[in-house]
Amino acid sequence: MSARDDHSWGAPPKLPASHFVSGTVYTDPDICAEEVRELFGKLWRFACHESELPKAFDYRVFDHAGHSLFCIRGADNRIRTFVNVCSHRGAKLLSQPRGNAETITCFYHRWTYDAEGGCTGIPRPAGYRGTGPSRQAMGLREVRTEIKAGLVFINLDDDSASLETFLDGALDSFEEALSGVPLEVFHYNRAELNANWKAWHETNMDMYHENMHVVLRKTQLNAMPMEDRTMALFSNGHGASGELKAEYAGYAGFAGRGDDVPPLPGLKSTDFRFVDLFPSTTILLRGTAVRIDTATPLGPDKTLLEMRGLGVKGEPMEHRRTRIKHHNQYWGPFGRNVPEDTFAAEACAASFSKGAARYQIIARDENLTGQDDAILRAFYAEWGRRLNRQPSAPELDWVDDG
Amino acid sequence: MTADDGKVPLTEAVRELVGQAALALDAEAFDTFLGLCTEDFQYRIRVMSPELGQEMIWLEQSRVELGKLFAALPEHLTRPGRLTRQVSVASIHEETAGLLATSVFSVFHTDFAGRTQVLAVGRYVDRWALDKGALRLRERDVHLDTRDLGIGSHVPL
Ligand code: FES
Ligand SMILES: [Fe+2]
């Protein structure tokens, strides 16, 4: 046991390349731009929950891969997504985060569009006679949209495989809880973190950091034998926990959590389960409440974190109140766990930003049980394949060693 | 209306108590803060979401729950540094059960390097009640305008 000099500290760990990650992946602006283009620009991504658009012409505006987009429910009840940009001269069309618009009117020259993306009006069209622009040709840019278990996913890449193929079954064991009863969003929070998006997402993939959260130390670490835990890996970089357990009485004030409101379909109030969808969406089910979060890169050292909490649509007020309470015990800006995860993401980012930290180790191998780092390794393998870079040495091309 | 001794008008007393509550929270003297509250005290943080078009509750605690939360703070990984609350009582109205005080507040965070930033702004809507001859806080609704709290906070605002 001894401290290390700079040479030793800066040398790559003596581990298989799949078991550590270079700090450059968090700090290099070129890598960040590639991630936006190759990952966020080409992969399916959770956009919102269908309950956020309950009526025809309801819309939700959001940011994705540097673009402003909006989902809107059409008269035919279908949810479609469009780039939030006018076909004429590029003005941003919708500026409110949500609303209802049967006709979308651009403020600038007052071209109009319908909820199916068609251009329905061009003032004084005669002026274009002979030069080309017509309503038929000037529709909005539609973005592929598919819904699974109430979750609206979008994809900027018109040529990519279907959502079903991309998910590879990663959501299957969450479907009963997410769609066995209709859900709706009661919590939404967006916050900017001073951290790379992957540093945040690692907190969702890393089982080992249970040790950081006092609540999990007291309620989760000893609730079931480590060797009875399971994890599942899927194609395309997704990973999920199996069923984990909590003994809420271990943390003051949490005893009896879940006795007073029905758990989600297929779950007991003491069950906990999560799935990490590549690149940066996580769904967590904790007995009575759901959290869905997404991380969006704003730069190598800035991340937009969006978090949603969901309850059962139409449930009695007192159930909703309790469910919100359960959500807030762990999650939200005043939860016991989330401010610790954000703290961890920023603390690691600060170390990597100026090179004080050089590598991070993801070498726990517990055969997909306990606190295995397998989900982290699956994530970085997919990252490497997609960007053609080795996560352990990003200046080198990806080598697929199976 | 005046307090029992008949000297200090209740409105003045509330103004001073709102300040004392802020100082107690700033000093993390949580027992002192709870000492200013009734046994059935309720604390809520409410936030209007333009994304959902509805109000959200981000924290709801009874006095007993708050006591447990405060007691657990030393074990949690909390935002390093200290918070300073600046509170200005904007209006006080008499109600049958006591007084309703609305205050505008800002919470500043000062880190270990001594740099100060605004963490949050909003309004306290407080219900003060005469409890065994003393004014105590029965209900505090924190209406937060700030929705991006960065890493968040274990400490109620
Ligand atoms: S930019 Fe929209 S109508 Fe001209
Ligand atoms: Fe965590």
Side-chain angles (χ1 to χ4, degrees), chain A residues 200 203-204 206 209-210 212-213 216 291 337-338 340-341:
Chain A
W200 162 259
T203 70
N204 280 325
D206 167 16
H209 89 288
E210 280 172 297
M212 170 179 76
H213 296 298
L216 300 186
R291 168 182 136 199
N337 278 14
V338 164
E340 295 177 333
D341 291 316

Side-chain angles (χ1 to χ4, degrees), chain B residues 21 24-25 29-37 41 66 70 137 140:
Chain B
L25 288 173
F30 298 121
D31 288 344
T32 307
F33 174 78
L34 290 176
L36 299 171
C37 305
F41 175 61
L66 261 187
F70 290 143
L137 187 55
R140 168 161 285 182

Side-chain angles (χ1 to χ4, degrees), chain B residues 5-120:
Chain B
D5 61 9
K7 288 183 195 135
V8 185
L10 280 181
T11 49
E12 269 319 297
V14 161
R15 217 174 279 280
E16 180 165 343
L17 285 166
V18 168
Q20 281 181 22
L23 286 175
L25 288 173
D26 288 357
E28 301 188 0
F30 298 121
D31 288 344
T32 307
F33 174 78
L34 290 176
L36 299 171
C37 305
T38 60
E39 290 300 322
D40 60 351
F41 175 61
Q42 284 287 336
Y43 177 95
R44 263 172 242 108
I45 297 180
R46 299 171 177 275
V47 189
M48 186 62 206
S49 167
E51 295 87 0
L52 302 180
Q54 65 186 47
E55 191 184 67
M56 304 176 285
I57 292 180
W58 280 3
L59 190 66
E60 180 168 34
Q61 301 274 281
S62 67
R63 181 186 167 130
V64 172
E65 289 167 330
L66 261 187
K68 288 177 178 162
L69 186 153
F70 290 143
L73 284 177
E75 290 188 277
H76 280 278
L77 191 56
T78 52
R79 183 193 289 271
R82 63 163 293 157
L83 302 179
T84 306
R85 292 157 182 81
Q86 186 172 43
V87 188
S88 154
V89 180
S91 74
I92 303 176
H93 294 294
E94 285 187 22
E95 297 184 315
T96 32
L99 292 110
L100 176 72
T102 303
S103 311
V104 181
F105 74 86
S106 325
V107 183
F108 300 91
H109 172 247
T110 303
D111 66 16
F112 286 150
R115 288 172 304 201
T116 299
Q117 287 188 314
V118 180
L119 175 65

Side-chain angles (χ1 to χ4, degrees), chain A residues 209-228:
Chain A
H209 89 288
E210 280 172 297
N211 301 309
M212 170 179 76
H213 296 298
V214 57
V215 171
L216 300 186
R217 288 201 300 272
K218 293 187 173 190
T219 63
Q220 193 167 288
L221 269 183
N222 300 315
M224 69 189 284
M226 282 287 169
E227 56 277 15
D228 289 353

Side-chain angles (χ1 to χ4, degrees), chain A residues 193-368:
Chain A
L193 295 185
N194 295 312
N196 185 273
W197 67 276
K198 298 186 292 302
W200 162 259
H201 195 52
E202 284 165 11
T203 70
N204 280 325
M205 298 188 285
D206 167 16
M207 287 296 303
Y208 193 37
H209 89 288
E210 280 172 297
N211 301 309
M212 170 179 76
H213 296 298
V214 57
V215 171
L216 300 186
R217 288 201 300 272
K218 293 187 173 190
T219 63
Q220 193 167 288
L221 269 183
N222 300 315
M224 69 189 284
M226 282 287 169
E227 56 277 15
D228 289 353
R229 291 181 170 190
T230 58
M231 291 178 198
L233 304 178
F234 304 87
S235 304
N236 303 314
H238 317 305
S241 72
E243 209 66 82
L244 298 162
K245 292 281 164 212
E247 282 178 4
Y248 296 121
Y251 184 84
F254 281 22
R257 178 192 148 107
D259 296 349
D260 38 7
V261 64
L264 295 161
L267 293 180
K268 289 194 274 303
S269 61
T270 50
D271 288 345
F272 174 57
R273 191 192 302 175
F274 66 86
V275 57
D276 297 304
L277 301 179
F278 191 84
S280 67
T281 297
T282 299
I283 302 160
L284 301 95
L285 306 177
R286 187 172 277 288
T288 50
V290 185
R291 168 182 136 199
I292 303 174
D293 67 61
T294 55
T296 301
L298 302 177
D301 53 3
K302 270 258 184 263
T303 295
L304 171 64
L305 182 58
E306 288 176 276
M307 294 196 159
R308 286 168 168 82
L310 292 89
V312 176
K313 198 170 186 164
E315 65 189 330
M317 272 297 288
E318 62 277 17
H319 283 183
R320 174 57 61 86
R321 201 108 186 182
T322 307
R323 217 179 283 282
I324 291 173
K325 196 165 200 129
H326 291 172
H327 170 276
N328 292 345
Q329 283 177 336
Y330 285 82
W331 307 324
F334 295 92
R336 307 292 210 277
N337 278 14
V338 164
E340 295 177 333
D341 291 316
T342 49
F343 179 94
E346 289 200 349
C348 295
S351 304
F352 282 109
S353 69
K354 299 284 186 292
R358 312 276 174 85
Y359 295 98
Q360 68 136 329
I361 291 168
I362 50 172
R364 296 187 65 78
D365 189 348
E366 301 187 53
N367 203 19
L368 293 176

Side-chain angles (χ1 to χ4, degrees), chain A residues 86-91 93 106-111 113:
Chain A
C86 180
S87 300
H88 178 219
R89 296 255 284 271
L93 283 171
C106 179
F107 68 90
Y108 205 176
H109 311 89
R110 303 198 64 81
W111 286 25
Y113 303 91

